[in-house]
Amino acid sequence: MRCNLLLAALSVCFCRCGLAAIVQVDRSLDGQVQLRETVPPLQMKLVPIGTWRTGDQLAIRIVASNEVYNDITACIVSADAAKEYRAGSPCEGSFRSKTPIVIKSTVAESGSKSLILDNSYAEFITKNIVISLRYRKSLTDNELTKIQAPLEKIQSNLSAIFKGADFNLYVKSCGQSNAFSDHNTADITFCWELIQEFVAQNNNGALVATLLHEYGHSLLNRWGEPGSSEEDMADQFATVMLLKGGDNGRRMLQQWIQSWIKRDSKAEAMNQLQRGDTHSLSIQRARNIQNAMNFPEDLTRRWNKMLYRHMTTDTLDKIIRNPSKSDDVDLAKEARM
Ligand SMILES: [Zn+2]
C-alpha cells in the first residue's frame, strides 16, 4: 500500500485536530485479479502472481477457453523454484487436467510466487488461459498504521473545519469497487477494492476526491441540507474542498478528471437506460470538475453560503483573519454571529 499518497492530501485541509469519531481499517484484505495468457504447444509460461506472506490465502481458477482441448498443467511455486522448474517438478496444483482447475492454497512460506502454465506436453494446440486470482491477506501493524494514520488526519481536519463531522470511517473489503455513505448513520465505508484500484493507477487525487465525495454526502446529511443523496452535489463538495486546497488540490482534481475520462461512458449510458443510475456519466463528471476549475471562485463562493453556516467558530475566525481569494469575509462574520 502506497500510503504516502494519502499524506499528500493533508495540505488541502486547514490544520487543527480533534478526533470525534473513529477510523477503522479492517486488517483482513480481500482482493481479486484477472489475467490472460496464451501458452503455445511445447511451451510453458511462468506467470508472476505477487508476493505473499505466511498465512495468506489464495484461490486461483484457471480456465482454458479452447473448445475441445481445454487441458493444461497449472501449479504454484515460489519464484526461486520457478526458475528451476522442469515438466514434472514438484509443484502445488493439477497436471494435464481439463479446466477449470481450481487451486486453493494457504501460503506456507513468505515470498514471491509464480503460477506455472505448462503446455509442453501438447504438440499442436495453443491454450488460451484466463486466470482468476482471489486472495485474502492480513495487513501487518505497520501497513495498518500507514493507511489509518492519514485517514485519521483527514477526518480530524474535517472535524475541525465543520460541525457535525462526528461519523465513522470504515475501510474494508466489500466484494466490489465502491465507497458508500450510510444514509442513517452518515458513516462512510471506503472499500479496499476501490482503494487498491486507485493505488494501482497511482491516482492519489481520485482517492482523496472520492473520500471527500463521501464526506459531502455525510455532511450534507448531518446538516439536514437538501441534496445529501445527490451525486452531483457530493462531487461539488469534493471539488470545492479541493479548490480551497490551492495548487495541490488542483493537481488532485486533474487526477480525478483523468480517472473519469478513462471510464467507458457509452457502457454507462447503456446501463443507465436499462437499469438507471443516479450518477452522471463519467465523462460529464469530468466536464463538471473541469468547468469548476475554470471558474473556481464562482462555485466556491456559492458553496460558501452553505458551508460557512456549518463551520466551527475557529475556522470562521481564521477566514476572517486571513481570507483567501474565494472567501467572503462579511459572510463569514455573519455566520460567526
Ligand atoms: Zn456518491
Side-chain angles (χ1 to χ4, degrees):
M1 175 60 62
R2 210 169 304 153
C3 295
N4 58 340
L5 292 175
L6 280 174
L7 284 168
L10 303 179
S11 61
V12 305
C13 300
F14 302 72
C15 196
R16 193 71 60 87
C17 288
L19 259 189
I22 62 162
V23 174
Q24 186 175 299
V25 179
D26 194 339
R27 187 178 284 270
S28 177
L29 166 57
D30 294 349
Q32 194 165 335
V33 182
Q34 194 166 78
L35 304 165
R36 287 175 189 275
E37 291 288 342
T38 301
V39 192
L42 303 172
Q43 292 188 29
M44 64 176 187
K45 278 204 171 168
L46 300 178
V47 184
I49 54 169
T51 301
W52 305 95
R53 275 194 303 270
T54 304
D56 290 345
Q57 295 175 346
L58 307 178
I60 307 176
R61 189 169 190 270
I62 298 112
V63 178
S65 59
N66 305 62
E67 274 187 24
V68 181
Y69 298 99
N70 65 357
D71 52 280
I72 191 90
T73 288
C75 58
I76 310 174
V77 287
S78 70
D80 287 343
K83 291 177 205 153
E84 311 290 321
Y85 179 86
R86 300 286 177 272
S89 298
C91 191
E92 184 185 356
S94 291
F95 300 85
R96 289 188 74 158
S97 302
K98 280 193 167 298
T99 63
I101 295 168
V102 176
I103 306 169
K104 290 187 176 175
S105 174
T106 300
V107 175
E109 200 174 331
S110 300
S112 299
K113 307 290 175 191
S114 291
L115 176 70
I116 286 174
L117 296 174
D118 187 354
N119 194 31
S120 59
Y121 61 84
E123 292 189 32
F124 305 109
I125 309 291
T126 294
K127 306 290 166 58
N128 301 305
I129 305 290
V130 179
I131 305 157
S132 304
L133 166 64
R134 288 188 298 118
Y135 59 85
R136 170 166 288 180
K137 62 195 255 182
S138 288
L139 298 178
T140 62
D141 288 346
N142 197 24
E143 287 170 329
L144 195 78
T145 305
K146 274 187 179 171
I147 184 74
Q148 185 152 337
L151 291 175
E152 281 179 345
K153 193 94 175 173
I154 289 173
Q155 192 190 52
S156 68
N157 286 345
L158 286 169
S159 296
I161 298 168
F162 296 116
K163 299 174 205 161
D166 57 340
F167 39 82
N168 303 313
L169 170 61
Y170 300 108
V171 175
K172 63 181 189 181
S173 296
C174 309
Q176 57 177 299
S177 195
N178 216 333
F180 317 92
S181 164
D182 186 301
H183 187 69
N184 294 318
T185 62
D187 289 346
I188 294 170
T189 301
F190 204 168
C191 303
W192 267 126
E193 291 86 344
L194 185 55
I195 293 177
Q196 288 175 290
E197 203 178 294
F198 290 141
V199 169
Q201 295 167 6
N202 198 22
N203 196 330
N204 185 42
L207 194 159
V208 173
T210 301
L211 185 57
L212 290 173
H213 169 105
E214 297 309 324
Y215 268 102
H217 282 307
S218 294
L219 285 169
L220 290 171
N221 182 1
R222 270 293 164 88
W223 299 336
E225 294 283 0
S228 66
S229 303
E230 289 178 19
E231 300 306 329
D232 288 345
M233 286 288 279
D235 275 1
Q236 282 195 18
F237 175 84
T239 304
V240 166
M241 292 307 293
L242 288 170
L243 285 173
K244 285 175 181 287
D247 288 346
N248 196 27
R250 292 181 72 86
R251 267 194 297 277
M252 289 187 175
L253 285 169
Q254 283 295 353
Q255 288 184 319
W256 199 21
I257 288 173
Q258 290 312 311
S259 80
W260 291 128
I261 287 173
K262 276 184 193 160
R263 299 205 176 199
D264 185 349
S265 288
K266 283 185 183 163
E268 288 172 356
M270 286 307 293
N271 190 54
Q272 281 197 359
L273 285 170
Q274 288 163 1
R275 298 194 186 91
D277 187 347
T278 54
H279 296 85
S280 295
L281 295 177
S282 291
I283 187 64
Q284 188 56 47
R285 294 177 82 169
R287 289 180 191 136
N288 292 345
I289 300 162
Q290 188 60 61
N291 285 341
M293 291 182 75
N294 293 344
F295 305 99
E297 285 165 37
D298 185 41
L299 182 71
T300 308
R301 282 176 176 273
R302 284 172 187 275
W303 270 79
N304 284 346
K305 289 175 187 163
M306 183 206 298
L307 296 180
Y308 284 3
R309 283 194 280 115
H310 301 288
M311 280 183 175
T312 59
T313 308
D314 282 355
T315 307
L316 290 169
D317 285 345
K318 205 168 183 175
I319 290 169
I320 293 163
R321 278 199 311 273
N322 189 20
S324 70
K325 253 170 91 177
S326 60
D327 279 319
D328 186 328
V329 174
D330 289 341
L331 203 59
K333 283 180 179 166
E334 197 181 311
R336 174 77 173 73
M337 284 195 284

